């Protein structure tokens, strides 16, 4: 019996491993996600019923859940080196000459690979099992991020027999571009700032404390080097091909070259084709193919002599600055945006670029009709690098930052120490009003289904809403006449608004859109002050006394509550029945058992043991696991072991029956 269960578990694990590989490495699934889930659930059930067959390398261990408070800093068995960089054909010829001279050979074979742009990782396998994953760190020591890395499905936790048993394999943890864009789309929808680039996001993900969070991120791992003492394989190319067969994700773009001419052809191809790749690359890596030669060449103090990176130039194009727009955010902050003559850059047409703020305009000395250089670096949004002053028209005039709000015409203000200009007409400036309402209904705030961002604008333009409290006065008759508004959508909208009255206080607080009061700060404030009135009455001192609340946030809160318009909107929301206080999870029935501790033992007539324990807590008492001098009562049921009774008696603990207990609380 037990044998067949063990076999069943092993068979399921092997099957799931294979399907994982087909899906995540070969990109060629052979069963549906649903079938996969069924198998995984089956395995989970068997494993939880039979903990004796637990394995750290089981496919069920990929969902994460392990929490790491502090990542252990560990010494690499084999140092992780950097790569020397080169930027021209000349550099590469120099490198080739050095290597040939060093080895005393005339001809060499190279492998060319893409240089993957992510976070370096060293995976150690012992006995074909993944035992650790460590970041590069300073090359000598890195952080042990094994729990997080195990959640990356393309990394095999156990490999089949036939490759090597003990080895290290190195690669880059990356986030493919489409996964990255999806993550950002989701963040923007939730009113969170977008991540800036895939590389930093990948390395940040490795350092998350909760591996279950890591499991949700679209991480992948591209591998490029095996470290082993084995002499089984003769060339770098060969060992990578074998590693791929055994389940490692080795990109297929690798080639072997027998001359520098072929290397240049590879560089030339990928200099343009790289923009069609699903992930980012910032260059290529050329390696001496023969592993024996690699050994002979060894390392300098920083990098291997047998490899060199060739860095692509960040693609830059020149185009014309047509005009500058000024956008007003929901907090009134002004962002200047450059409108450019459309130009093709890194595979996409670029029409706009952010100019950030007045300082940036000043620094670039950028003017309308200037020819400017635009670059797409690690960041997704293109940047203006510089102005081509040789092409500046004679009659050009220095750019003056906008003086008045483009929407409401009030004077823009830049406060001491702030990078941004602001429109202070909080309640009369359309983009601010609309932005605030859009924030109010967003998912992490009031989560109102049935209204989209465009609908907010429609409602505002139709004079139906001027602030978020007005949402709660809307009727179906109001909104039906709106453009493209069907009866059903109108109904959904009203229902969504009604439902939002149940949203808990901390989210309502966040929804109010007080500057610098994000989701996390709202939670802290709600927990501390418990209701809106206490928060409204707080002064500077009581505010900054709260964990993580600094001067900037405190002042912004004081500001909000000193504004009569905010107060009147707030009062209307209160009348409408929104949640303005936290719901204490209050299940207590009485405090009759306050300060008393209980041990429950045996079988009872009127309660299940769990109900009994719950009842103790509901009346203020405490359940303890075992008898000690501090225990007050032992509630003895039927079939209580005699040893317990003796122990209670020697400790002087009062033994009571179920009925005596009921008397205590009634
Ligand atoms: P750098 O950080 O510029 O010194 O570049 C060295 C790093 O490039 C190494 O630590 C690797 O993590 C990374 N790298 C990316 N792709 C490759 C590759 N195909 N071969 C070797 N190293 C690579
Ligand atoms: Zn304005």
């Amino acid at each position: 019996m037990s044998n067949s269960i063990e076999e069943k578990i092993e068979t399921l694990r092997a099957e799931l491993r294979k399907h994982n590989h087909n899906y995540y490495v070969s990109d060629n699934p052979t069963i549906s996600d649903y079938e996969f889930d069924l198998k995984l659930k089956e395995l989970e059930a068997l494993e939880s019923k039979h903990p004796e067959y637990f394995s750290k390398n089981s496919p069920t261990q990929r969902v994460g859940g392990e929490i790491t408070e502090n990542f252990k800093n560990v010494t690499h068995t084999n140092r992780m080196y950097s790569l020397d960089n080169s930027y021209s054909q000349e550099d590469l010829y120099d490198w080739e000459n050095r290597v040939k001279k060093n080895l005393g050979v005339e001809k060499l074979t190279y492998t060319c690979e893409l240089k993957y742009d992510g976070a370096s990782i060293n995976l150690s396998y012992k006995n074909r099992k993944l035992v650790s994953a460590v970041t590069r760190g300073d090359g000598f020591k890195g952080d042990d991020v094994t729990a997080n890395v195990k959640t990356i499905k393309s990394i095999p936790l156990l490999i089949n027999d036939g490759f090597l048993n003990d080895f290290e394999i190195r690669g880059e943890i990356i986030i493919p571009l489409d996964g990255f864009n999806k993550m950002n789309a989701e963040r923007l929808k939730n009113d969170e700032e977008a991540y800036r680039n895939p590389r930093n996001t990948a390395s940040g993900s490795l350092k998350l404390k909760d591996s279950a969070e890591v499991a949700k991120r679209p991480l992948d791992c591209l591998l490029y080097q095996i470290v082993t003492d084995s002499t089984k394989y003769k060339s770098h190319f060969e060992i990578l091909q074998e590693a791929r067969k055994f389940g490692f994700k080795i990109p297929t773009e690798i080639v072997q070259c027998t001359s520098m001419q072929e290397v240049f052809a590879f560089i030339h191809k990928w200099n343009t084709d790289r923009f069609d790749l699903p992930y980012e690359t910032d260059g290529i890596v050329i390696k001496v193919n023969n592993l024996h030669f690699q050994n002979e060449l060894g390392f300098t103090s920083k990098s291997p002599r047998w490899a060199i990176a060739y860095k692509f130039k960040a693609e830059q194009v020149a185009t014309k600055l047509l005009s500058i727009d000024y956008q007003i955010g929901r907090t009134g902050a002004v962002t200047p945006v450059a409108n450019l003559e459309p130009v093709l850059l890194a595979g996409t047409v670029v029409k706009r670029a952010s100019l950030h703020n007045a300082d940036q305009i000043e620094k670039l000395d950028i003017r309308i009709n200037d020819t400017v250089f635009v670059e797409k670096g690690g960041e997704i949004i293109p940047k203006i690098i510089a102005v081509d002053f040789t092409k500046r028209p004679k009659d050009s005039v220095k750019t003056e930052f906008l003086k008045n709000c483009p929407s409401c015409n009030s004077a823009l203000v830049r406060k001491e120490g702030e990078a941004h200009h602001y429109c202070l007409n909080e309640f009369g400036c359309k983009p601010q009003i609309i932005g605030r309402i859009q924030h109010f209904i967003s998912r992490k705030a009031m989560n109102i289904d049935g209204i989209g961002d465009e609908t907010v604008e429609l409602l505002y333009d139709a004079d139906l809403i001027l602030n978020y409290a007005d949402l709660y006065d809307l009727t179906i008759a109001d909104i039906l006449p709106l453009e493209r508004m069907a009866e059903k959508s109108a109904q959904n909208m009203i229902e969504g608004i009604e439902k939002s009255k149940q949203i808990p206080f901390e989210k309502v607080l966040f929804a109010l859109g007080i500057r610098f009061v994000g989701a996390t700060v709202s939670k802290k404030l709600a927990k501390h002050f418990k209701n809106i009135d206490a928060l409204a009455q707080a002064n500077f001192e009581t505010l900054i006394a709260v964990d993580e609340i600094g001067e900037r946030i405190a002042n912004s809160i004081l500001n909000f509550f000193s504004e009569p318009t905010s107060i009147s909107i707030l009062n209307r929301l209160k009348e409408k029945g929104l949640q303005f206080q936290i719901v204490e999870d209050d299940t207590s029935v009485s405090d009759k058992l306050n300060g008393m501790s209980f041990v429950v033992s045996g079988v009872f007539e009127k309660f299940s043991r769990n109900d009994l324990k719950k009842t103790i807590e509901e009346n203020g008492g405490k359940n303890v696991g075992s008898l000690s001098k501090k225990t007050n009562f032992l509630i003895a049921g039927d079939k209580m072991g005699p040893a317990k009774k003796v122990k209670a008696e020697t400790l002087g603990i009062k033994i009571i029956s179920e009925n005596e207990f009921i008397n205590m609380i009634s």
Side-chain angles (χ1 to χ4, degrees):
M1 158 84 180
S2 77
N3 245 343
S4 71
I5 283 174
E6 189 177 4
E7 269 167 32
K8 177 86 199 154
I9 288 180
E10 279 311 332
T11 315
L12 274 170
R13 284 177 183 164
E15 267 186 69
L16 286 164
R17 238 172 243 133
K18 181 85 196 117
H19 290 306
N20 249 329
H21 177 264
N22 290 345
Y23 189 98
Y24 290 101
V25 181
S26 314
D27 201 10
N28 182 26
T30 54
I31 60 171
S32 69
D33 291 0
Y34 176 70
E35 287 168 295
F36 183 90
D37 279 346
L38 283 186
K39 284 187 195 292
L40 189 67
K41 291 234 166 70
E42 188 183 354
L43 177 59
E44 266 166 5
L46 280 173
E47 286 181 350
S48 83
K49 224 166 122 193
H50 298 278
E52 64 272 28
Y53 302 128
F54 173 81
S55 161
K56 281 203 289 199
N57 298 83
S58 168
T60 53
Q61 298 304 301
R62 291 198 187 268
V63 289
E66 206 172 313
I67 307 282
T68 314
E69 272 308 325
N70 291 303
F71 294 98
K72 226 175 37 204
N73 200 242
V74 295
T75 305
H76 291 295
T77 314
N78 298 289
R79 182 174 159 193
M80 292 181 82
Y81 287 87
S82 294
L83 285 171
D84 275 342
N85 284 326
S86 65
Y87 301 90
S88 64
Q89 296 199 349
E90 220 180 357
D91 290 349
L92 285 176
Y93 276 129
D94 286 348
W95 173 73
E96 177 179 48
N97 286 335
R98 278 199 305 277
V99 170
K100 282 185 175 169
K101 200 165 146 208
N102 211 321
L103 291 170
V105 297
E106 290 290 309
K107 265 196 95 50
L108 275 177
T109 305
Y110 308 103
T111 56
C112 288
E113 301 159 26
L114 295 170
K115 190 165 186 288
Y116 321 114
D117 203 9
S120 330
I121 195 83
N122 184 63
L123 309 174
S124 300
Y125 285 79
K126 292 235 158 65
N127 235 333
R128 298 187 281 117
K129 289 194 188 102
L130 174 70
V131 292
S132 81
V134 181
T135 63
R136 177 162 110 175
D138 63 3
F140 296 98
K141 282 172 143 195
D143 288 331
D144 186 329
V145 291
T146 314
N148 286 345
V149 165
K150 275 166 92 170
T151 66
I152 301 171
K153 313 279 193 310
S154 68
I155 296 179
L157 302 180
L158 172 70
I159 59 163
N160 289 339
D161 207 0
F163 181 55
L164 299 165
N165 289 339
D166 301 337
F167 59 98
E168 290 177 8
I169 184 164
R170 292 176 176 175
E172 296 275 309
I173 307 276
I174 59 143
I175 298 188
L177 290 164
D178 70 338
F180 180 73
N181 292 336
K182 273 188 203 137
M183 257 171 101
N184 265 346
E186 183 69 9
R187 283 181 73 83
L188 291 173
K189 223 168 76 193
N190 292 331
D191 210 30
E192 291 163 322
E193 210 172 307
Y195 291 116
R196 290 179 76 90
N197 66 53
R199 184 195 340 111
N200 293 354
T201 313
S203 70
S205 302
L206 286 183
K207 296 293 181 60
L208 292 175
K209 290 184 173 162
D210 183 355
S211 59
E213 278 307 308
V214 184
K216 290 185 203 152
R217 301 215 170 164
L219 296 169
D220 205 346
C221 182
L222 307 178
L223 296 146
Y224 56 73
Q225 195 198 337
I226 285 121
V227 185
T228 169
D229 292 332
S230 160
T231 49
K232 184 172 168 190
Y233 301 101
K234 300 292 173 246
S235 80
H236 178 68
F237 191 80
E238 182 191 358
I239 202 168
L240 289 187
Q241 301 305 313
E242 278 298 295
R244 184 189 298 123
K245 276 190 211 149
F246 280 86
F248 292 101
K249 196 163 198 167
I250 315 273
T252 49
E253 286 76 19
I254 316 170
V255 296
Q256 295 188 93
C257 298
T258 52
S259 70
M260 267 299 148
Q261 242 49 51
E262 286 175 36
V263 171
F264 297 149
F266 185 83
I267 293 178
H268 187 72
K269 170 179 163 53
W270 288 106
N271 191 31
T272 47
D273 286 2
R274 63 187 155 129
F275 301 114
D276 301 329
L277 286 166
Y279 50 82
E280 289 195 313
T281 164
D282 57 343
I284 70 160
V285 184
I286 303 121
K287 296 173 183 170
V288 172
N289 197 24
N290 182 311
L291 292 176
H292 172 68
F293 283 167
Q294 284 193 6
N295 256 330
E296 213 166 300
L297 286 163
F299 301 85
T300 68
S301 64
K302 271 181 42 226
S303 30
R305 289 196 185 86
W306 43 265
I308 191 161
Y310 174 91
K311 289 276 180 102
F312 295 127
K313 287 177 202 63
E315 211 193 343
Q316 244 184 31
V317 287
T319 186
K320 207 163 109 184
L321 174 69
L322 300 177
S323 62
I324 300 177
D325 280 347
Y326 293 83
Q327 293 178 343
I328 311 289
R330 80 174 152 90
T331 59
V334 185
T335 309
V337 177
N339 290 312
L340 306 167
E341 207 162 74
V343 60
L344 195 67
L345 173 66
T348 48
V349 177
V350 173
K351 294 183 204 141
R352 286 156 84 76
S354 170
L355 284 169
H356 304 292
N357 52 43
D359 289 344
Q360 182 73 5
I361 292 178
E362 183 81 15
K363 206 173 92 195
L364 293 169
D365 181 21
I366 194 171
R367 304 179 184 186
I368 307 293
N369 289 330
D370 267 346
T371 298
V372 298
F373 296 112
V374 185
E375 183 178 300
K376 213 163 186 175
E379 269 90 59
I380 297 289
I381 302 157
K383 271 199 295 222
I384 295 179
I385 302 300
V387 171
D388 184 349
F389 292 111
T390 63
K391 299 228 171 83
R392 172 167 284 173
K394 296 231 162 17
D395 58 352
S396 88
V397 277
K398 196 168 158 61
T399 302
E400 288 231 30
F401 202 83
L402 202 64
K403 296 257 183 308
N404 294 83
C405 175
S407 176
C408 71
N409 206 35
S410 17
L412 298 178
V413 175
R414 182 177 179 178
K415 287 202 197 118
E416 184 73 21
E418 296 214 14
H420 280 103
H421 284 71
Y422 284 89
C423 165
L424 300 181
N425 184 13
E426 214 178 320
F427 298 103
C429 179
K430 176 173 169 180
Q432 295 189 58
I433 296 171
I434 289 188
R436 263 196 313 271
I437 302 173
Q438 286 169 340
H439 168 77
F440 184 84
I441 63 169
S442 66
R443 226 179 61 176
K444 285 223 168 142
M446 302 304 284
N447 191 19
I448 302 187
D449 284 340
I451 310 187
D453 284 354
E454 314 77 50
T455 319
V456 172
E457 193 155 359
L458 276 178
L459 290 167
Y460 174 86
D461 288 339
D463 281 334
L464 288 168
I465 53 172
L466 247 185
N467 57 54
Y468 38 64
D470 293 340
L471 288 170
Y472 295 88
D473 287 335
L474 289 175
T475 63
I476 293 202
D478 284 340
I479 50 186
L480 260 184
L482 288 182
E483 215 180 310
R484 272 172 294 159
M485 184 61 70
E487 175 99 31
K488 181 82 192 131
S489 336
Q491 209 151 10
N492 283 345
M493 212 162 117
I494 299 295
E495 274 165 23
I497 293 170
E498 190 58 31
K499 231 169 67 192
S500 75
K501 292 180 182 170
Q502 301 314 317
I503 293 287
F505 175 44
E506 61 185 48
K507 296 204 169 166
V508 178
L509 188 53
F510 172 57
L512 295 179
I514 305 172
R515 211 165 139 204
F516 308 131
V517 178
T520 318
V521 170
S522 301
K523 236 181 231 168
K524 294 241 141 99
L525 291 170
K527 205 164 159 206
H528 186 90
F529 290 100
K530 301 205 166 50
N531 62 64
I532 194 87
D533 296 326
L535 177 63
Q537 278 149 27
N539 60 25
F540 185 78
E541 277 69 36
T542 45
L543 282 168
I544 57 168
V546 183
D547 183 29
E548 275 180 46
I549 308 297
E551 281 180 28
R552 199 176 62 137
I553 300 175
N555 281 326
S556 167
I557 294 169
L558 292 173
N559 215 357
F560 179 85
F561 287 107
S562 66
E563 178 61 59
T565 317
S566 314
I567 301 297
S568 88
I569 293 174
L570 210 56
N571 286 336
R572 281 179 58 211
L573 290 176
K574 278 186 193 165
E575 276 164 29
K576 297 293 177 191
L578 274 66
Q579 305 296 313
F580 280 106
Q581 57 187 32
I582 58 168
V583 183
E584 308 257 12
D585 80 40
D586 195 7
T587 46
S588 82
V589 177
S590 86
D591 51 10
K592 291 199 169 110
L593 306 180
N594 262 0
M596 302 178 196
S597 63
F598 294 80
V599 169
V600 172
S601 182
V603 183
F604 301 92
E605 248 175 51
K606 301 190 177 95
F607 295 99
S608 75
R609 277 164 58 120
N610 275 339
D611 284 345
L612 186 55
K613 286 186 176 170
K614 212 169 117 207
T615 311
I616 292 171
E617 276 170 14
E618 283 170 356
N619 289 281
K622 201 169 130 194
N623 287 296
V624 291
S626 61
L627 295 168
S628 78
K629 270 192 289 196
K630 289 191 201 144
T631 315
N632 300 108
F633 297 95
L634 169 64
I635 311 179
D638 219 18
K639 301 201 181 113
M640 184 179 81
K644 251 213 176 114
K645 185 156 181 257
V646 175
K647 187 167 179 196
E649 280 166 355
T650 43
L651 289 170
I653 296 165
K654 190 156 185 209
I655 303 177
I656 57 170
S657 70
E658 188 177 1
N659 284 330
E660 283 172 297
F661 171 75
I662 294 172
N663 283 337
M664 283 172 79
I665 55 171
S666 55

